[in-house]
Amino acid sequence: MENAQAGEVISVEERFGRSGRAPVSVSHDRPAPKEESELSNKVAAILTRFTRWLDSYGETSWDHQSFFAGPVGGKAKALYYRHGTIGTAAVAPIILCEAFLPWTRRFFHHRIRFPIADAHYAMGFLFLHQASGKSSCLEKASHFLDELKKSRAPGFEKYCWGYPFDWVTRGGVLKKDTPLITTTPYVYEAFLQGFKATQRDEWKQVLASIAHHARFEIKDFETSPAASSCSYSPFDGGGVINAAAYRAFLLFSASQSFSNDDYRKIAERNLNFVLEAQNPDGSWYYAVDGVRDFVDHFHTCFVMKALGKIYTATGDEGCYSALAKGTEYYLKNLFDEEGLPKPFSKAPRLTVYKRELYDCAECINLGLVLRKSFPSFEKTVVRVIKEVTSNWVKPDGSFRSRRLHLGWDNVPMHRWGQSQMFRSLAYYLSEQPTSNVCQVDAGNNGHPSRN
């Protein structure tokens, strides 16, 4: 916002719907008021049960990467990347465990805390505070933001976050707490939402620090006269499309929040890289390296969510055109015959699961971001919420993690679906009439969960 005062933080959500562009579709496809009221009441009850489960279960968990986060799995995965045949034999027993014995994660690694999950929980409780007005929800959000301040990556002057485990990739091992541009923007968004709710100056300072990190410690790589990709961490090369989309969103937001034109210029180059990388059919590959040319559900959501937020904040015509093509591709190719999210359109390998919570959560988040400009998302959001609330809620209040080809993976994983689904449903609830959500409860009177 051009007339923002220096140092003023302006929420991305605050600018939603101000572009004035006519929607793609003439029909909003909204459910009937009674149906919508019943669904929001059901979501409120489920979220209340979930917060009680979270208090009981604690804020650490296993992860879908637990099989490979320890020394045994890590060595097997590294061997897989270096030596195809031998490596395949090494990881095959682990993949079988993932497919048929998901609970065996506990033998490969221990429960840990995930910054990206803490960010989603903070945002979710802030949405619940917005929906219910209950101070307990704000207290819970503040608790998770305080935990994020503790878990920042050590060894860096500015605030940034990564994974709390060694991540074995085809390019080598990203050591524990290596800052990632795919994690840090979620924390930025959580602190931004928290600052808007409380005006706490310390959180504004954290926002400024995060923006400085994203600008100066993440590297740029020119891809065309108008575009640059960015590094995934401070130590690697560029080419990953969702990484550039995340950074573009963060720096566009920070440029407006702190009246910093340098941030805007860098963001524009990263945005142009994402726009230039879009395929003619409207899809995006994971990367432009000619190797990781797969199209999957949640990475597509990551890219489109970032573009949607940038479009809302700036009215950029290129974003709108890319989103129009992306929406058409997404809705036609990344849903199965039941109209529910499927993992891949163009898959790099066979998967051990049929459907996963993470895809459903990101579908809801994306639909809520885009439905005002692209009303075709309205029915999709409702359909997926109905599926999750009907079939994915466990008796203890947590969510199933994956629907396997045979059975379910019921291991609760904060980073891999639980926190994202909590945030997406709380986001949905925050947009419903207050009278429908007055029963939302943060659980445990807002006090921190046990670890």
Side-chain angles (χ1 to χ4, degrees):
M1 193 171 293
E2 292 78 3
N3 61 351
Q5 297 296 313
E8 180 185 3
V9 180
I10 305 169
S11 169
V12 172
E13 302 290 344
E14 191 178 2
R15 300 188 184 91
F16 224 96
R18 297 185 184 178
S19 65
R21 175 181 286 276
V24 173
S25 169
V26 296
S27 172
H28 284 261
D29 293 324
R30 293 189 68 88
K34 181 180 179 182
E35 180 186 6
E36 193 165 42
S37 177
E38 290 174 350
L39 183 60
S40 61
N41 285 334
K42 185 176 183 180
V43 168
I46 286 171
L47 289 178
T48 296
R49 289 175 57 203
F50 180 89
T51 60
R52 292 169 181 165
W53 167 82
L54 182 60
D55 283 331
S56 174
Y57 185 80
E59 296 164 10
T60 63
S61 75
W62 285 280
D63 189 63
H64 93 108
Q65 287 284 355
S66 293
F67 285 112
F68 303 103
V72 174
K75 289 177 181 177
K77 190 177 181 183
L79 191 63
Y80 171 78
Y81 285 132
R82 290 198 306 268
H83 304 288
T85 303
I86 299 175
T88 299
V91 301
I94 301 175
I95 299 301
L96 289 174
C97 286
E98 185 178 13
F100 299 106
L101 301 168
W103 55 270
T104 59
R105 284 180 175 86
R106 66 183 64 241
F107 300 127
F108 290 84
H109 204 240
H110 55 275
R111 285 172 54 162
I112 52 179
R113 186 176 205 104
F114 296 92
I116 196 170
D118 286 345
H120 279 85
Y121 283 134
M123 288 187 279
F125 280 111
L126 285 164
F127 281 129
L128 289 186
H129 175 254
Q130 178 183 331
S132 69
K134 291 193 174 182
S135 61
S136 58
C137 296
L138 184 58
E139 290 171 16
K140 267 295 187 61
S142 298
H143 160 68
F144 281 104
L145 292 175
D146 289 340
E147 289 296 327
L148 283 165
K149 289 186 68 176
K150 298 175 188 176
S151 65
R152 59 181 291 189
F156 288 82
E157 179 185 355
K158 302 300 181 181
Y159 277 88
C160 50
W161 291 262
Y163 289 158
F165 57 86
D166 291 346
W167 184 25
V168 181
T169 73
R170 66 175 61 250
V173 179
L174 282 173
K175 300 300 291 183
K176 173 185 175 181
D177 293 324
T178 299
L180 303 177
I181 198 59
T182 55
T183 294
T184 300
Y186 287 113
V187 185
Y188 173 90
E189 197 169 11
F191 275 103
L192 178 60
Q193 192 174 342
F195 177 78
K196 289 298 296 181
T198 66
Q199 297 296 302
R200 283 174 60 172
D201 186 67
E202 65 174 298
W203 291 351
K204 185 173 80 172
Q205 294 175 23
V206 172
L207 289 168
S209 180
I210 294 172
H212 189 280
H213 162 78
R215 164 61 180 92
F216 293 102
E217 295 179 322
I218 298 296
K219 298 180 289 187
D220 287 282
F221 301 91
E222 182 174 322
T223 56
S224 78
S228 296
S229 69
C230 71
S231 59
Y232 205 94
S233 78
F235 311 115
D236 56 63
V240 176
I241 295 169
N242 76 93
Y246 277 120
R247 187 174 183 236
F249 152 69
L250 192 162
L251 291 179
F252 266 122
S253 175
S255 73
Q256 296 181 324
S257 296
F258 298 103
S259 300
N260 188 314
D261 197 52
D262 177 57
Y263 290 168
R264 179 190 60 80
K265 291 177 181 178
I266 299 299
E268 284 179 348
R269 293 192 63 87
N270 287 162
L271 171 61
N272 288 339
F273 166 72
V274 175
L275 299 181
E276 291 176 5
Q278 188 174 26
N279 296 317
D281 63 4
S283 67
W284 283 272
Y285 293 141
Y286 176 79
V288 295
D289 55 11
V291 177
R292 292 169 291 179
D293 56 351
F294 60 88
V295 179
D296 70 8
H297 196 109
F298 64 86
H299 285 108
T300 299
C301 289
F302 295 163
V303 173
M304 292 180 65
K305 276 194 310 178
L307 294 184
K309 292 171 185 177
I310 293 169
Y311 173 66
T312 297
T314 67
D316 185 270
E317 291 293 328
C319 278
Y320 183 85
S321 297
L323 285 168
K325 291 193 298 182
T327 295
E328 183 176 3
Y329 178 88
Y330 173 77
L331 293 176
K332 287 183 178 179
N333 295 277
L334 285 167
F335 292 81
D336 61 21
E337 63 280 357
E338 299 176 60
L340 298 171
K342 66 179 182 180
F344 291 98
S345 173
K346 299 177 181 177
R349 57 178 174 82
L350 293 175
T351 62
V352 301
Y353 52 93
K354 179 179 180 181
R355 193 172 295 132
E356 68 174 320
L357 187 67
Y358 205 156
D359 289 334
C360 294
E362 288 305 324
C363 173
I364 296 168
N365 279 321
L366 176 63
L368 292 173
V369 168
L370 293 185
R371 64 179 179 172
K372 293 181 181 178
S373 294
F374 299 92
S376 52
F377 274 103
E378 193 73 52
K379 287 197 297 186
T380 300
V381 167
V382 171
R383 182 170 61 248
V384 176
I385 290 176
K386 287 182 176 179
E387 161 67 14
V388 171
T389 56
S390 298
N391 298 316
W392 290 70
V393 181
K394 293 161 56 183
D396 64 3
S398 66
F399 300 103
R400 300 179 186 273
S401 293
R402 285 172 163 173
R403 183 173 183 177
L404 305 174
H405 292 294
L406 294 173
W408 293 85
D409 181 344
N410 287 316
V411 177
M413 297 182 279
H414 287 318
R415 184 182 76 95
W416 209 253
Q418 299 291 323
S419 64
Q420 289 84 357
M421 183 55 68
F422 174 73
R423 180 200 184 275
S424 71
L425 294 180
Y427 182 10
Y428 169 78
L429 209 60
S430 72
E431 296 194 337
Q432 307 307 308
T434 304
S435 59
N436 289 340
V437 298
C438 60
Q439 72 270 39
V440 173
D441 182 9
N444 205 29
N445 295 318
H447 295 298
S449 307
R450 69 172 177 83
N451 291 319

PDB file of all heavy atoms in Angstrom, residues 331-350:
ATOM      1  N   LEU A 331      -8.249 -28.059 -11.170  1.00  0.00           N
ATOM      2  CA  LEU A 331      -9.547 -28.686 -10.933  1.00  0.00           C
ATOM      3  C   LEU A 331      -9.814 -29.857 -11.876  1.00  0.00           C
ATOM      4  O   LEU A 331     -10.575 -30.764 -11.536  1.00  0.00           O
ATOM      5  CB  LEU A 331     -10.657 -27.644 -11.061  1.00  0.00           C
ATOM      6  CG  LEU A 331     -10.652 -26.545  -9.980  1.00  0.00           C
ATOM      7  CD1 LEU A 331     -11.736 -25.509 -10.269  1.00  0.00           C
ATOM      8  CD2 LEU A 331     -10.834 -27.124  -8.583  1.00  0.00           C
ATOM      9  N   LYS A 332      -9.174 -29.878 -13.032  1.00  0.00           N
ATOM     10  CA  LYS A 332      -9.387 -30.964 -13.994  1.00  0.00           C
ATOM     11  C   LYS A 332      -8.446 -32.140 -13.790  1.00  0.00           C
ATOM     12  O   LYS A 332      -8.784 -33.274 -14.164  1.00  0.00           O
ATOM     13  CB  LYS A 332      -9.221 -30.438 -15.428  1.00  0.00           C
ATOM     14  CG  LYS A 332     -10.364 -29.569 -15.916  1.00  0.00           C
ATOM     15  CD  LYS A 332     -10.152 -29.155 -17.371  1.00  0.00           C
ATOM     16  CE  LYS A 332     -11.326 -28.329 -17.888  1.00  0.00           C
ATOM     17  NZ  LYS A 332     -11.110 -27.901 -19.314  1.00  0.00           N
ATOM     18  N   ASN A 333      -7.269 -31.900 -13.208  1.00  0.00           N
ATOM     19  CA  ASN A 333      -6.233 -32.929 -13.223  1.00  0.00           C
ATOM     20  C   ASN A 333      -5.760 -33.414 -11.863  1.00  0.00           C
ATOM     21  O   ASN A 333      -5.095 -34.449 -11.787  1.00  0.00           O
ATOM     22  CB  ASN A 333      -5.013 -32.421 -14.002  1.00  0.00           C
ATOM     23  CG  ASN A 333      -5.304 -32.185 -15.466  1.00  0.00           C
ATOM     24  OD1 ASN A 333      -5.278 -33.111 -16.272  1.00  0.00           O
ATOM     25  ND2 ASN A 333      -5.575 -30.932 -15.813  1.00  0.00           N
ATOM     26  N   LEU A 334      -6.070 -32.685 -10.809  1.00  0.00           N
ATOM     27  CA  LEU A 334      -5.547 -33.072  -9.503  1.00  0.00           C
ATOM     28  C   LEU A 334      -6.635 -33.537  -8.537  1.00  0.00           C
ATOM     29  O   LEU A 334      -6.478 -33.468  -7.324  1.00  0.00           O
ATOM     30  CB  LEU A 334      -4.740 -31.915  -8.914  1.00  0.00           C
ATOM     31  CG  LEU A 334      -3.372 -31.749  -9.585  1.00  0.00           C
ATOM     32  CD1 LEU A 334      -2.721 -30.418  -9.207  1.00  0.00           C
ATOM     33  CD2 LEU A 334      -2.440 -32.910  -9.243  1.00  0.00           C
ATOM     34  N   PHE A 335      -7.726 -34.052  -9.110  1.00  0.00           N
ATOM     35  CA  PHE A 335      -8.810 -34.646  -8.334  1.00  0.00           C
ATOM     36  C   PHE A 335      -9.172 -35.987  -8.949  1.00  0.00           C
ATOM     37  O   PHE A 335      -9.090 -36.173 -10.170  1.00  0.00           O
ATOM     38  CB  PHE A 335     -10.021 -33.712  -8.296  1.00  0.00           C
ATOM     39  CG  PHE A 335      -9.778 -32.461  -7.516  1.00  0.00           C
ATOM     40  CD1 PHE A 335      -9.100 -31.391  -8.080  1.00  0.00           C
ATOM     41  CD2 PHE A 335     -10.180 -32.369  -6.194  1.00  0.00           C
ATOM     42  CE1 PHE A 335      -8.837 -30.242  -7.357  1.00  0.00           C
ATOM     43  CE2 PHE A 335      -9.933 -31.223  -5.457  1.00  0.00           C
ATOM     44  CZ  PHE A 335      -9.260 -30.161  -6.040  1.00  0.00           C
ATOM     45  N   ASP A 336      -9.575 -36.928  -8.104  1.00  0.00           N
ATOM     46  CA  ASP A 336      -9.893 -38.262  -8.593  1.00  0.00           C
ATOM     47  C   ASP A 336     -11.354 -38.349  -9.027  1.00  0.00           C
ATOM     48  O   ASP A 336     -12.071 -37.343  -9.079  1.00  0.00           O
ATOM     49  CB  ASP A 336      -9.555 -39.317  -7.535  1.00  0.00           C
ATOM     50  CG  ASP A 336     -10.337 -39.133  -6.230  1.00  0.00           C
ATOM     51  OD1 ASP A 336     -11.400 -38.474  -6.250  1.00  0.00           O
ATOM     52  OD2 ASP A 336      -9.876 -39.646  -5.190  1.00  0.00           O
ATOM     53  N   GLU A 337     -11.787 -39.566  -9.323  1.00  0.00           N
ATOM     54  CA  GLU A 337     -13.139 -39.774  -9.840  1.00  0.00           C
ATOM     55  C   GLU A 337     -14.219 -39.430  -8.802  1.00  0.00           C
ATOM     56  O   GLU A 337     -15.380 -39.213  -9.154  1.00  0.00           O
ATOM     57  CB  GLU A 337     -13.316 -41.226 -10.302  1.00  0.00           C
ATOM     58  CG  GLU A 337     -13.175 -42.280  -9.214  1.00  0.00           C
ATOM     59  CD  GLU A 337     -11.732 -42.606  -8.861  1.00  0.00           C
ATOM     60  OE1 GLU A 337     -10.811 -42.035  -9.511  1.00  0.00           O
ATOM     61  OE2 GLU A 337     -11.525 -43.429  -7.943  1.00  0.00           O
ATOM     62  N   GLU A 338     -13.841 -39.355  -7.525  1.00  0.00           N
ATOM     63  CA  GLU A 338     -14.782 -38.959  -6.483  1.00  0.00           C
ATOM     64  C   GLU A 338     -14.798 -37.454  -6.248  1.00  0.00           C
ATOM     65  O   GLU A 338     -15.507 -36.964  -5.367  1.00  0.00           O
ATOM     66  CB  GLU A 338     -14.441 -39.673  -5.174  1.00  0.00           C
ATOM     67  CG  GLU A 338     -14.526 -41.190  -5.250  1.00  0.00           C
ATOM     68  CD  GLU A 338     -14.085 -41.847  -3.959  1.00  0.00           C
ATOM     69  OE1 GLU A 338     -14.723 -41.562  -2.913  1.00  0.00           O
ATOM     70  OE2 GLU A 338     -13.117 -42.616  -3.963  1.00  0.00           O
ATOM     71  N   GLY A 339     -14.004 -36.729  -7.032  1.00  0.00           N
ATOM     72  CA  GLY A 339     -13.930 -35.284  -6.853  1.00  0.00           C
ATOM     73  C   GLY A 339     -13.113 -34.863  -5.652  1.00  0.00           C
ATOM     74  O   GLY A 339     -13.282 -33.758  -5.129  1.00  0.00           O
ATOM     75  N   LEU A 340     -12.183 -35.721  -5.207  1.00  0.00           N
ATOM     76  CA  LEU A 340     -11.349 -35.446  -4.046  1.00  0.00           C
ATOM     77  C   LEU A 340      -9.883 -35.368  -4.454  1.00  0.00           C
ATOM     78  O   LEU A 340      -9.484 -35.942  -5.482  1.00  0.00           O
ATOM     79  CB  LEU A 340     -11.551 -36.540  -2.995  1.00  0.00           C
ATOM     80  CG  LEU A 340     -12.981 -36.642  -2.446  1.00  0.00           C
ATOM     81  CD1 LEU A 340     -13.146 -37.887  -1.587  1.00  0.00           C
ATOM     82  CD2 LEU A 340     -13.353 -35.376  -1.658  1.00  0.00           C
ATOM     83  N   PRO A 341      -9.061 -34.655  -3.680  1.00  0.00           N
ATOM     84  CA  PRO A 341      -7.661 -34.460  -4.076  1.00  0.00           C
ATOM     85  C   PRO A 341      -6.910 -35.773  -4.248  1.00  0.00           C
ATOM     86  O   PRO A 341      -7.013 -36.684  -3.415  1.00  0.00           O
ATOM     87  CB  PRO A 341      -7.090 -33.658  -2.900  1.00  0.00           C
ATOM     88  CG  PRO A 341      -8.262 -32.954  -2.312  1.00  0.00           C
ATOM     89  CD  PRO A 341      -9.408 -33.923  -2.448  1.00  0.00           C
ATOM     90  N   LYS A 342      -6.173 -35.856  -5.349  1.00  0.00           N
ATOM     91  CA  LYS A 342      -5.282 -36.989  -5.555  1.00  0.00           C
ATOM     92  C   LYS A 342      -3.848 -36.474  -5.520  1.00  0.00           C
ATOM     93  O   LYS A 342      -3.590 -35.306  -5.851  1.00  0.00           O
ATOM     94  CB  LYS A 342      -5.583 -37.715  -6.859  1.00  0.00           C
ATOM     95  CG  LYS A 342      -5.323 -36.925  -8.133  1.00  0.00           C
ATOM     96  CD  LYS A 342      -5.649 -37.766  -9.363  1.00  0.00           C
ATOM     97  CE  LYS A 342      -5.342 -37.015 -10.661  1.00  0.00           C
ATOM     98  NZ  LYS A 342      -5.658 -37.816 -11.861  1.00  0.00           N
ATOM     99  N   PRO A 343      -2.888 -37.320  -5.132  1.00  0.00           N
ATOM    100  CA  PRO A 343      -1.526 -36.832  -4.892  1.00  0.00           C
ATOM    101  C   PRO A 343      -0.830 -36.239  -6.113  1.00  0.00           C
ATOM    102  O   PRO A 343      -0.206 -35.189  -6.035  1.00  0.00           O
ATOM    103  CB  PRO A 343      -0.792 -38.074  -4.388  1.00  0.00           C
ATOM    104  CG  PRO A 343      -1.857 -38.961  -3.850  1.00  0.00           C
ATOM    105  CD  PRO A 343      -3.051 -38.724  -4.723  1.00  0.00           C
ATOM    106  N   PHE A 344      -0.939 -36.925  -7.255  1.00  0.00           N
ATOM    107  CA  PHE A 344      -0.145 -36.530  -8.411  1.00  0.00           C
ATOM    108  C   PHE A 344      -0.992 -36.432  -9.669  1.00  0.00           C
ATOM    109  O   PHE A 344      -1.954 -37.170  -9.844  1.00  0.00           O
ATOM    110  CB  PHE A 344       0.976 -37.544  -8.682  1.00  0.00           C
ATOM    111  CG  PHE A 344       2.060 -37.555  -7.648  1.00  0.00           C
ATOM    112  CD1 PHE A 344       2.059 -38.492  -6.636  1.00  0.00           C
ATOM    113  CD2 PHE A 344       3.082 -36.624  -7.688  1.00  0.00           C
ATOM    114  CE1 PHE A 344       3.061 -38.509  -5.680  1.00  0.00           C
ATOM    115  CE2 PHE A 344       4.090 -36.630  -6.738  1.00  0.00           C
ATOM    116  CZ  PHE A 344       4.076 -37.576  -5.734  1.00  0.00           C
ATOM    117  N   SER A 345      -0.584 -35.532 -10.556  1.00  0.00           N
ATOM    118  CA  SER A 345      -1.080 -35.541 -11.925  1.00  0.00           C
ATOM    119  C   SER A 345      -0.081 -36.279 -12.799  1.00  0.00           C
ATOM    120  O   SER A 345      -0.417 -37.233 -13.491  1.00  0.00           O
ATOM    121  CB  SER A 345      -1.280 -34.117 -12.430  1.00  0.00           C
ATOM    122  OG  SER A 345      -1.602 -34.114 -13.801  1.00  0.00           O
ATOM    123  N   LYS A 346       1.166 -35.809 -12.737  1.00  0.00           N
ATOM    124  CA  LYS A 346       2.260 -36.491 -13.412  1.00  0.00           C
ATOM    125  C   LYS A 346       3.218 -36.946 -12.328  1.00  0.00           C
ATOM    126  O   LYS A 346       3.941 -36.155 -11.753  1.00  0.00           O
ATOM    127  CB  LYS A 346       2.951 -35.548 -14.391  1.00  0.00           C
ATOM    128  CG  LYS A 346       2.017 -35.027 -15.488  1.00  0.00           C
ATOM    129  CD  LYS A 346       2.719 -34.031 -16.390  1.00  0.00           C
ATOM    130  CE  LYS A 346       1.764 -33.506 -17.461  1.00  0.00           C
ATOM    131  NZ  LYS A 346       2.395 -32.479 -18.330  1.00  0.00           N
ATOM    132  N   ALA A 347       3.190 -38.230 -12.027  1.00  0.00           N
ATOM    133  CA  ALA A 347       3.880 -38.734 -10.847  1.00  0.00           C
ATOM    134  C   ALA A 347       5.299 -39.189 -11.158  1.00  0.00           C
ATOM    135  O   ALA A 347       5.568 -39.779 -12.198  1.00  0.00           O
ATOM    136  CB  ALA A 347       3.102 -39.904 -10.252  1.00  0.00           C
ATOM    137  N   PRO A 348       6.252 -38.957 -10.220  1.00  0.00           N
ATOM    138  CA  PRO A 348       7.613 -39.445 -10.397  1.00  0.00           C
ATOM    139  C   PRO A 348       7.773 -40.908 -10.036  1.00  0.00           C
ATOM    140  O   PRO A 348       8.751 -41.537 -10.382  1.00  0.00           O
ATOM    141  CB  PRO A 348       8.406 -38.564  -9.424  1.00  0.00           C
ATOM    142  CG  PRO A 348       7.428 -38.269  -8.330  1.00  0.00           C
ATOM    143  CD  PRO A 348       6.085 -38.161  -9.015  1.00  0.00           C
ATOM    144  N   ARG A 349       6.811 -41.453  -9.276  1.00  0.00           N
ATOM    145  CA  ARG A 349       6.915 -42.844  -8.828  1.00  0.00           C
ATOM    146  C   ARG A 349       5.545 -43.294  -8.344  1.00  0.00           C
ATOM    147  O   ARG A 349       4.631 -42.497  -8.174  1.00  0.00           O
ATOM    148  CB  ARG A 349       7.915 -42.964  -7.667  1.00  0.00           C
ATOM    149  CG  ARG A 349       7.547 -42.062  -6.481  1.00  0.00           C
ATOM    150  CD  ARG A 349       8.520 -42.228  -5.348  1.00  0.00           C
ATOM    151  NE  ARG A 349       8.274 -41.281  -4.274  1.00  0.00           N
ATOM    152  CZ  ARG A 349       7.378 -41.423  -3.323  1.00  0.00           C
ATOM    153  NH1 ARG A 349       6.609 -42.505  -3.306  1.00  0.00           N
ATOM    154  NH2 ARG A 349       7.232 -40.518  -2.366  1.00  0.00           N
ATOM    155  N   LEU A 350       5.424 -44.575  -8.118  1.00  0.00           N
ATOM    156  CA  LEU A 350       4.223 -45.095  -7.494  1.00  0.00           C
ATOM    157  C   LEU A 350       4.196 -44.664  -6.035  1.00  0.00           C
ATOM    158  O   LEU A 350       5.229 -44.553  -5.381  1.00  0.00           O
ATOM    159  CB  LEU A 350       4.204 -46.625  -7.589  1.00  0.00           C
ATOM    160  CG  LEU A 350       4.060 -47.213  -8.994  1.00  0.00           C
ATOM    161  CD1 LEU A 350       4.185 -48.730  -8.915  1.00  0.00           C
ATOM    162  CD2 LEU A 350       2.728 -46.819  -9.619  1.00  0.00           C
TER     163      LEU A 350
END
